[in-house]
Amino acid sequence: QVQLQQWGAGLLKPSETLSLTCAVYGGSFSGYYWSWIRQPPGKGLEWIGEINHSGSTNYNPSLKSRVTISVDTSKNQFSLKLSSVTAADTAVYYCARGRPRGITMVRGVIDYYYYYMDVWGKGTTVTVSS
Amino acid sequence: SSELTQDPAVSVALGQTVRITCQGDSLRSYYASWYQQKPGQAPVLVIYGKNNRPSGIPDRFSGSSSGNTASLTITGAQAEDEADYYCNSRDSSGNRHVVFGGGTKLTVL
């Protein structure tokens, strides 16, 4: 049973850099997309970005200028850094495993694609306050 | 477009059937995945692909898709199904960004 364990600083001051790490236990690290998602208080889920085992990244355009996601395959860990935080970055931050894109075929032709995140960390509450 | 749109709130009487919908251009190419989130907990995957349930998800949860709209149907809603539900897919425009709907709060009456 794959588990994700995440940790990092929970209280930051404006302009500091948020830093979180997620460790993968009980399963393969390669072949998946490893994502960070956040949820501000009382609001919905926002995808921050993802990385694969080879270090290829993909970021939400709205956060791209401040986000760095990195991977340490020797430890089966991936990390998030978000620079210049403000109160608007206060949220619960989740790490999650994304599956490779699936394809459904109809009579030999691609019908649909599908993507999903099947394993999630428990979340880390990050508060930005002066 | 990379947006997924959900109704903010839906209610259902105990034991009845409810449909939660998600609209977006990416859903013409991608099946939505659906997540259930209860207060203070991480989201849990309930439906993925055409209509697949992970192990442990009751068969009263099902998914469907038509055009730019995906639906999550709960047949015989139970009190424990009261939660927020989010749809999700990748953007179909080629950038492969991941998108979430705004979420639907399901109340079981």
Side-chain angles (χ1 to χ4, degrees):
Chain A
Q1 175 108 2
V2 177
Q3 293 186 333
L4 304 184
Q5 183 176 344
Q6 55 181 109
W7 65 89
L11 181 60
L12 297 171
K13 290 181 166 50
S15 81
E16 292 184 334
T17 295
L18 178 157
S19 182
L20 299 174
T21 298
C22 183
V24 180
Y25 296 105
S28 173
F29 194 73
S30 62
Y32 299 96
Y33 295 91
W34 303 96
S35 273
W36 289 98
I37 301 102
R38 70 181 184 178
Q39 185 172 37
K43 296 189 177 181
L45 302 171
E46 179 182 32
W47 177 72
I48 299 170
E50 67 183 359
I51 192 166
N52 65 10
H53 71 282
S54 63
S56 177
T57 55
N58 185 17
Y59 297 137
N60 185 325
S62 68
L63 297 168
K64 185 175 183 177
S65 63
R66 297 193 292 131
V67 172
T68 302
I69 298 177
S70 59
V71 65
D72 184 342
T73 55
S74 68
K75 296 180 179 179
N76 278 13
Q77 294 176 1
F78 61 107
S79 298
L80 168 69
K81 290 190 185 301
L82 180 66
S83 64
S84 305
V85 298
T86 70
D89 296 310
T90 293
V92 177
Y93 287 74
Y94 296 100
C95 57
R97 185 179 78 171
R99 303 288 290 210
R101 187 179 67 177
I103 294 174
T104 60
M105 308 281 287
V106 175
R107 292 185 289 276
V109 177
I110 294 174
D111 182 29
Y112 272 86
Y113 301 103
Y114 59 93
Y115 166 82
Y116 57 98
M117 300 178 187
D118 61 345
V119 184
W120 291 66
K122 292 184 186 300
T124 300
T125 298
V126 176
T127 302
V128 181
S129 175
S130 55
Chain B
S1 171
S2 60
E3 293 183 355
L4 296 178
T5 302
Q6 298 182 242
D7 291 329
V10 171
S11 62
V12 62
L14 184 67
Q16 296 303 300
T17 296
V18 63
R19 177 175 292 181
I20 297 169
T21 61
C22 173
Q23 289 188 302
D25 288 343
S26 65
L27 302 182
R28 296 185 184 278
S29 303
Y30 274 87
Y31 287 122
S33 55
W34 290 93
Y35 305 84
Q36 177 193 69
Q37 186 181 35
K38 296 181 179 179
Q41 298 183 18
V44 173
L45 178 70
V46 294
I47 291 288
Y48 67 95
K50 188 173 184 178
N51 181 20
N52 301 298
R53 285 175 288 104
S55 174
I57 301 301
D59 61 5
R60 63 179 179 270
F61 289 89
S62 63
S64 62
S65 185
S66 178
N68 72 336
T69 301
S71 300
L72 173 70
T73 300
I74 306 174
T75 304
Q78 302 299 302
E80 61 264 33
D81 299 334
E82 184 163 295
D84 294 326
Y85 290 86
Y86 294 91
C87 58
N88 160 246
S89 79
R90 282 200 185 273
D91 190 308
S92 59
S93 65
N95 58 37
R96 295 178 55 250
H97 295 152
V98 174
V99 290
F100 284 97
T104 297
K105 168 66 177 175
L106 176 66
T107 300
V108 180
L109 303 172

